């Protein structure tokens, strides 16, 4: 079966750095996506990795190791507005299929 | 605002009712998706349409019936639902289905089945 694991909840302090991990076991792989979802709102795209390594986008970076089935999302200089759920999703070889983790709820405190 | 709208935003229905969810994308995309999001569970892909043709049905019960009249509109027709179908139903679209294609999500319809 397909399995995407993320921590359920994390807490961090404003201004700090936080790393949200995602491990996956899927029958195929054609890219890993990170989305941010504020309560009651639509998920919004943050980053995409298909090759090993780090992708940086402002305060957000995402890392992928395909051999380890592992990714992380790194958030720097945390702001209160970063309090949200962060969803990890893997795209299968069948481009139609996406598998999502349950999401990590990040609480940023002052 | 992601360019994907969904109506209604909230829906309460009895198990014998028939209702429809509507999704519209204003992004000129060719692929559209229905997802179910239940509390504390992963997003579940339900259906995929590409150029109005259904390309994926993820073993969804027949009480959910999708319709895609054109690339901009997607419907989900609901009938004789069960209480466990209560969830957030999200629509998404993407330009195509190539590698790296980003999905843009609508705000969702919060459904409660009594």
């Amino acid at each position: 079966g397909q399995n995407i694991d993320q921590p359920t909840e994390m807490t961090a302090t404003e201004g700090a750095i936080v790393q949200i991990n995602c491990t996956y076991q899927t029958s195929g792989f054609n890219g890993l996506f990170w989305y941010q979802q504020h309560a009651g709102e639509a998920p919004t795209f943050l980053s995409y990795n298909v090759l090993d390594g780090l992708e940086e986008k402002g305060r957000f970076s995402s890392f992928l190791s395909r051999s380890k089935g592992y990714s992380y999302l790194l958030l720097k200089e945390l702001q209160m507005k970063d309090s949200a759920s962060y969803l990890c999703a893997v795209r299968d070889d069948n481009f139609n299929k996406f598998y999502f983790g349950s999401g990590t709820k990040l609480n940023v405190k002052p | 605002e992601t360019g994907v709208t969904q109506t209604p935003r909230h829906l309460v229905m009895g198990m014998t009712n028939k209702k429809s969810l509507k999704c519209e994308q204003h992004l000129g995309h060719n692929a559209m998706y229905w997802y179910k999001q239940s509390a504390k569970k992963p997003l579940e892909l339900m259906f995929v349409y590409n150029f109005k043709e259904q390309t994926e049905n993820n073993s969804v019960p027949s009480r959910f019936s999708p319709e895609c009249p054109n690339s901009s509109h997607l419907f989900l027709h609901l009938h004789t639902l069960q209480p466990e179908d209560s969830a957030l139903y999200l629509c998404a679209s993407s330009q195509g289905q190539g590698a790296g294609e980003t999905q843009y999500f609508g705000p969702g319809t919060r459904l409660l089945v009594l």
Side-chain angles (χ1 to χ4, degrees), chain A residues 47-81:
Chain A
S47 70
Y48 166 72
N49 295 73
V50 68
L51 299 176
D52 289 353
L54 189 69
E55 293 283 340
E56 296 189 77
K57 247 182 168 183
R59 293 190 299 116
F60 292 36
S61 304
S62 57
F63 172 83
L64 175 68
S65 169
R66 289 171 297 171
S67 62
K68 295 181 180 175
Y70 168 69
S71 173
Y72 66 73
L73 180 69
L74 194 71
L75 293 78
K76 303 176 190 173
E77 301 167 17
L78 278 175
Q79 301 174 10
M80 298 299 292
K81 67 177 182 179

Side-chain angles (χ1 to χ4, degrees), chain B residues 1 10 13 15 30 46 53 56 60 85 88 104 111:
Chain B
E1 183 64 45
H10 300 272
M13 59 187 290
M15 289 190 282
N30 298 309
M46 299 174 72
E53 298 297 320
E56 193 72 34
V60 181
D85 297 323
L88 180 68
Y104 293 83
L111 174 67

Side-chain angles (χ1 to χ4, degrees), chain A residues 4 8 30 33 35 37 40-45 48 50 87 91 94-103, chain B residues 2 9 33 35 37 40-43 45 48 55-56 58 88 90 97-103 105-107:
Chain A
I4 316 285
T8 304
N30 217 318
F33 296 77
Y35 288 86
Q37 186 177 25
E41 296 183 14
T44 54
F45 170 77
Y48 166 72
V50 68
L87 310 178
R91 188 170 205 169
N94 174 348
F95 289 127
N96 288 333
K97 295 243 187 208
F98 288 81
Y99 300 100
F100 279 80
S102 298
Chain B
T2 62
R9 293 294 307 276
Y33 311 77
Y35 284 89
Q37 188 175 35
K40 305 284 171 83
K41 291 175 71 174
L43 268 166
L45 181 65
V48 181
T55 56
E56 193 72 34
N58 204 23
L88 180 68
L90 289 162
Q97 293 189 284
E101 291 283 5
T102 303
Q103 294 186 337
F105 284 85

Side-chain angles (χ1 to χ4, degrees), chain A residues 23-34:
Chain A
T23 57
Y24 63 90
Q25 291 172 303
T26 55
S27 53
F29 179 85
N30 217 318
L32 188 141
F33 296 77
W34 284 96

Side-chain angles (χ1 to χ4, degrees), chain B residues 52-100:
Chain B
K52 303 188 300 177
E53 298 297 320
Q54 188 181 118
T55 56
E56 193 72 34
N57 176 338
N58 204 23
S59 304
V60 181
S62 60
R63 57 186 184 270
F64 295 91
S65 175
E67 180 190 358
C68 188
N70 54 61
S71 293
S72 299
H73 293 86
L74 186 64
F75 296 89
L76 189 62
H77 304 299
L78 316 172
H79 63 99
T80 59
L81 293 193
Q82 305 298 310
E84 59 265 28
D85 297 323
S86 298
L88 180 68
Y89 288 85
L90 289 162
C91 173
S93 71
S94 64
Q95 178 62 47
Q97 293 189 284

